[in-house]
């Protein structure tokens, strides 16, 4: 399986919507993201905040399997042990 190259620096855009999935598992988090994607117009940017370590893989796969474009996934520390992931997706047209 080919590795997807994921930019690690946030794009210079203001997100149109933010979904805060920090503290949620990926399964319930991805459902919230999919609902948000349906509410946004093509070209809009969705920011997703997460603490689930699978975020980098799951959101990259979501973009690869849809017409949405993965702009970046930033990783930062919140506290000593916890990492946070901020994903930026540009909504594709249908």
């Amino acid at each position: 399986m080919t590795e997807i190259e994921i930019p690690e620096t946030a794009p210079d855009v203001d997100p149109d919507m933010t979904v805060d999935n920090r503290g949620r598992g990926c399964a319930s988090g991805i459902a919230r993201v999919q609902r948000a994607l349906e509410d946004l117009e093509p070209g809009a940017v969705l920011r997703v905040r997460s603490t689930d370590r699978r975020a980098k893989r799951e959101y990259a796969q979501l973009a690869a399997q849809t017409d949405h474009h993965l702009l970046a996934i930033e990783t930062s520390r919140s506290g000593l042990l916890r990492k946070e992931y901020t994903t930026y997706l540009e909504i594709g047209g249908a």
Side-chain angles (χ1 to χ4, degrees), residues 11 13-21 29-41 43-49 59 62 68-73 86-92:
V13 296
D14 290 326
D16 296 284
M17 181 184 287
T18 298
V19 174
D20 191 347
N21 282 337
I30 202 81
R32 294 179 72 199
V33 168
Q34 288 175 325
R35 283 192 300 272
L37 291 171
E38 292 172 1
D39 291 341
L40 292 169
E41 297 292 323
V45 174
L46 174 66
R47 175 176 54 195
V48 183
R49 300 182 73 191
Y59 295 127
L62 173 69
H68 306 306
H69 181 68
L70 179 63
L71 300 175
I73 300 179
T86 304
T87 303
Y88 296 86
L89 292 166
E90 183 177 6
I91 309 313

Side-chain angles (χ1 to χ4, degrees), residues 13 17 28 33 39-40 48 50 53 57 66-67 78 80 86 93:
V13 296
M17 181 184 287
S28 67
V33 168
D39 291 341
L40 292 169
V48 183
S50 177
R53 67 176 181 250
R57 181 182 67 236
T66 64
D67 61 348
S78 65
L80 185 60
T86 304

